[in-house]
Amino acid sequence: MNSINLKKLISVLVLAVTMTACVQDDDFRTPALDIEEPDLNGSTPLLLSSVYDAWFQEFADAVDDAGLDFDSDFDVEAIEALRLQTKFTYENDDPNNPRFMSGYVISTDKAGNFFEELILQDRPDSPTRGVRLAIDVNPLFTSYEFGRKIFVKLDGLSVGIENGVFTIGVLSGDEVDQIPSFSQEEVILRSSEVAEITPLEITFEDFSDDLTNLFVTINNVQFGKDDVFGDSPLTFAGEPSDEFDGERNLESCDTGATAVLSTSTFADFKSLTLPSQKGSFEGVLTKNFFGDTFNLVLNDVTGLVFENEERCDIELIIEDSECPTNNIGGSNIVFEEEFTGLSIDDLLSNGWVNQNISRGSVLYEVGSFSGNQYAQINSFSSNESSVDTWLVTPEINLSGSANEVLSFEVQANFDTGTTLLEVLIAENFTGDVITTSWKRFNVEIPRGPSGGFGSFEAVDPVDISCLTSDTIHVAFRYVGGDPGATTRYHIDNIEISGN
């Protein structure tokens, strides 16, 4: 080996050792550089809310030109179509007088859960408007860390609704597309300010388009027990069925409502198991790819602070009945209810119990049609993803009868095929559905049409003769949710007869 090659080899080895000594881990944090406030050519930055208002005015003008009415239920679909079609582009013929918008970065792609986008909101605390800035650059956290104030040069950029959220980018056909990477330094200017971001505290019930692209916190939530317990607890996004994103339901311990936590299959925490405790979420409120469902997205796994071991699961005490099925009752009417001339308040005054155990507001009502009254329930338009409501009769005395059967009629309407109506009986009702022991009876509930009202049909008589207590309470349990399981049931002519 000649001396020149030997020197080259020694130089390479020395360089390699030096580089190894300098980089001891994978911490490639943004260098601590002194950043001067950028020169905006005397331009006063627009507020993010002003940019939204400019787009909304364009949208409102389109609605007016189409002769539509924001307050009309008949125009909802047409107005939504216009909302998605409306794009507003900032034009500027004077390059010496550029227009900028200010905003604070509330997303980070460091953990891989965001990709080629920055989520901005108008101020560090009590934000009122957020926006998604689409740009063909990855990674972004090395230049625009969480809390960094930036200025976006609006000239030539367009704004509109993409994937269900307010977005800034470049117009490509009918879509607001990504800002090209070569425009990054011209379009995005960093301020010297890195603010402390205070998350906006909200609940699942607060979700709205106005709150998308904001950094939020939601307290007292947990993952479903079926997802976190058992032989195969779920990961964030590491299941074979997770193609692009893992979608996991978070439950509110306050209301029972649920919301989707979406995690990219490229996130570095995708294979971590979901925490089984309850706690708080801290991250970005956005929508799914199709723009039709609200999603919660973490910047990284530390956005879940789940440290409370006391979960809020509801554990019902239910066992299947072992009653025979050969009794047909008798002429002795032990109990009957036709709901004629009664309101729901009258029922409650007479000892009925109307209890929603999913912490929501869907309850049984007394409905009527063509002079006939009945108990009715449905979860349609409730905005409650989980509904579990029980209508329980007053105490029924069986001491003077034998071979009893229960009969009633059901009308199933707008049947989704996914809603449950079942019959349970308690022999020692505590007054609270949750703390009572129940026997479940096998009852075949009639199906109805998916697009309208069905007819009342009698269920097969339910043999309850195996019950040993002198007194019982009968419960009609409705399990559904909006959207999806929203079948409307009418229940009438409840009767217990025996010998």
Side-chain angles (χ1 to χ4, degrees):
M1 180 182 294
N2 63 42
S3 60
I4 294 177
N5 289 333
L6 181 59
K7 289 180 179 178
K8 287 184 178 179
L9 177 59
I10 293 172
S11 297
V12 170
L13 291 174
V14 170
L15 179 60
V17 171
T18 302
M19 292 179 66
T20 304
C22 290
V23 181
Q24 297 294 332
D25 53 33
D26 294 328
D27 187 7
F28 298 101
R29 286 175 291 185
T30 306
L33 302 176
D34 291 331
I35 299 175
E36 296 182 359
E37 203 64 16
D39 181 8
L40 304 183
N41 286 3
S43 172
T44 300
L46 295 174
L47 296 175
L48 203 158
S49 56
S50 298
V51 175
Y52 177 85
D53 290 344
W55 167 83
F56 186 83
Q57 186 58 56
E58 193 88 357
F59 166 47
D61 291 343
V63 171
D64 289 341
D65 292 343
L68 301 174
D69 184 355
F70 276 110
D71 296 326
S72 173
D73 292 337
F74 299 102
D75 295 341
V76 170
E77 291 186 6
I79 289 175
E80 176 61 14
L82 277 177
R83 188 178 81 96
L84 298 178
Q85 295 165 10
T86 301
K87 316 295 178 187
F88 177 77
T89 301
Y90 278 87
E91 304 290 351
N92 189 3
D93 297 329
D94 182 4
N96 295 319
N97 186 28
R99 278 172 294 189
F100 290 90
M101 178 200 76
S102 63
Y104 292 85
V105 177
I106 58 167
S107 64
T108 174
D109 54 11
K110 187 173 183 179
N113 210 25
F114 286 90
F115 181 69
E116 296 187 349
E117 61 184 357
L118 290 173
I119 312 299
L120 311 175
Q121 65 183 35
D122 54 358
R123 50 195 185 201
D125 56 83
S126 302
T128 61
R129 184 66 61 185
V131 69
R132 169 179 170 260
L133 182 67
I135 182 166
D136 185 20
V137 176
N138 180 58
L140 289 162
F141 78 92
T142 54
S143 299
Y144 317 109
E145 68 270 48
F146 184 81
R148 172 73 65 180
K149 182 178 182 180
I150 66 172
F151 302 100
V152 179
K153 186 178 179 182
L154 296 171
D155 301 339
L157 299 185
S158 297
V159 297
I161 303 298
E162 295 295 341
N163 304 110
V165 297
F166 189 53
T167 301
I168 294 180
V170 294
L171 195 61
S172 176
D174 295 330
E175 297 182 355
V176 177
D177 208 345
Q178 290 182 317
I179 299 166
S181 57
F182 60 77
S183 298
Q184 174 185 358
E185 294 185 2
E186 177 187 357
V187 171
I188 307 176
L189 304 181
R190 290 196 297 174
S191 167
S192 60
E193 180 183 356
V194 179
E196 181 179 348
I197 304 296
T198 303
L200 181 68
E201 186 173 340
I202 64 171
T203 66
F204 292 160
E205 289 75 18
D206 294 328
F207 286 6
S208 70
D209 288 334
D210 290 341
L211 294 181
T212 56
N213 296 322
L214 296 183
F215 193 67
V216 302
T217 187
I218 304 170
N219 296 317
N220 205 23
V221 295
Q222 65 182 22
F223 291 103
K225 62 180 180 180
D226 292 338
D227 292 342
V228 296
F229 296 118
D231 296 333
S232 300
L234 294 181
T235 59
F236 282 89
E239 308 306 315
S241 58
D242 297 326
E243 293 186 14
F244 301 103
D245 298 290
E247 295 188 341
R248 309 290 183 255
N249 280 337
L250 278 172
E251 303 173 346
S252 168
C253 288
D254 296 322
T255 66
T258 62
V260 175
L261 176 77
S262 180
T263 303
S264 170
T265 53
F266 292 95
D268 63 10
F269 57 91
K270 71 172 185 177
S271 297
L272 295 181
T273 303
L274 298 176
S276 60
Q277 303 90 341
K278 71 175 180 179
S280 63
F281 162 88
E282 193 171 277
V284 177
L285 176 63
T286 183
K287 287 192 173 181
N288 65 357
F289 177 81
F290 303 102
D292 56 10
T293 303
F294 288 106
N295 277 188
L296 296 167
V297 179
L298 294 163
N299 278 322
D300 55 54
V301 75
T302 62
L304 288 183
V305 183
F306 279 33
E307 299 175 344
N308 191 337
E309 298 288 348
E310 296 183 7
R311 291 173 56 88
C312 60
D313 300 314
I314 295 173
E315 300 290 348
L316 294 173
I317 310 169
I318 299 176
E319 63 179 19
D320 291 330
S321 166
E322 297 180 355
C323 276
T325 58
N326 55 350
N327 285 321
I328 58 173
S331 59
N332 180 25
I333 305 301
V334 178
F335 174 83
E336 61 181 337
E337 182 60 76
E338 299 178 349
F339 302 102
T340 302
L342 299 176
S343 66
I344 195 67
D345 288 337
D346 293 331
L347 291 177
L348 298 181
S349 297
N350 293 336
W352 289 73
V353 172
N354 191 11
Q355 185 177 355
N356 183 317
I357 66 170
S358 52
R359 298 178 287 268
S361 60
V362 175
L363 293 168
Y364 278 87
E365 301 174 348
V366 172
S368 65
F369 183 75
S370 296
N372 181 42
Q373 290 187 228
Y374 40 78
Q376 74 173 42
I377 188 169
N378 75 95
S379 55
F380 182 72
S381 294
S382 66
N383 293 319
E384 295 179 21
S385 57
S386 178
V387 175
D388 194 340
T389 301
W390 298 54
L391 183 66
V392 185
T393 66
E395 183 177 274
I396 300 170
N397 193 325
L398 303 181
S399 61
S401 63
N403 301 323
E404 301 91 350
V405 297
L406 166 69
S407 62
F408 59 97
E409 296 178 359
V410 172
Q411 181 185 23
N413 314 289
F414 302 95
D415 198 330
T416 63
T418 53
T419 313
L420 174 69
L421 181 66
E422 62 179 357
V423 175
L424 304 99
I425 294 180
E427 297 184 274
N428 188 20
F429 185 50
T430 66
D432 183 349
V433 166
I434 297 174
T435 59
T436 297
S437 295
W438 296 96
K439 285 185 170 64
R440 178 189 287 114
F441 285 76
N442 185 19
V443 179
E444 186 173 349
I445 301 297
R447 293 291 304 275
S450 61
F453 288 89
S455 300
F456 273 102
E457 299 181 38
V459 302
D460 292 337
V462 182
D463 192 329
I464 62 173
S465 61
C466 67
L467 300 175
T468 59
S469 175
D470 287 341
T471 58
I472 64 169
H473 290 75
V474 179
F476 297 88
R477 182 190 186 190
Y478 176 93
V479 180
D482 178 33
T486 57
T487 305
R488 173 171 169 172
Y489 287 115
H490 298 166
I491 303 170
D492 201 3
N493 299 322
I494 303 170
E495 180 182 284
I496 294 178
S497 62
N499 294 318

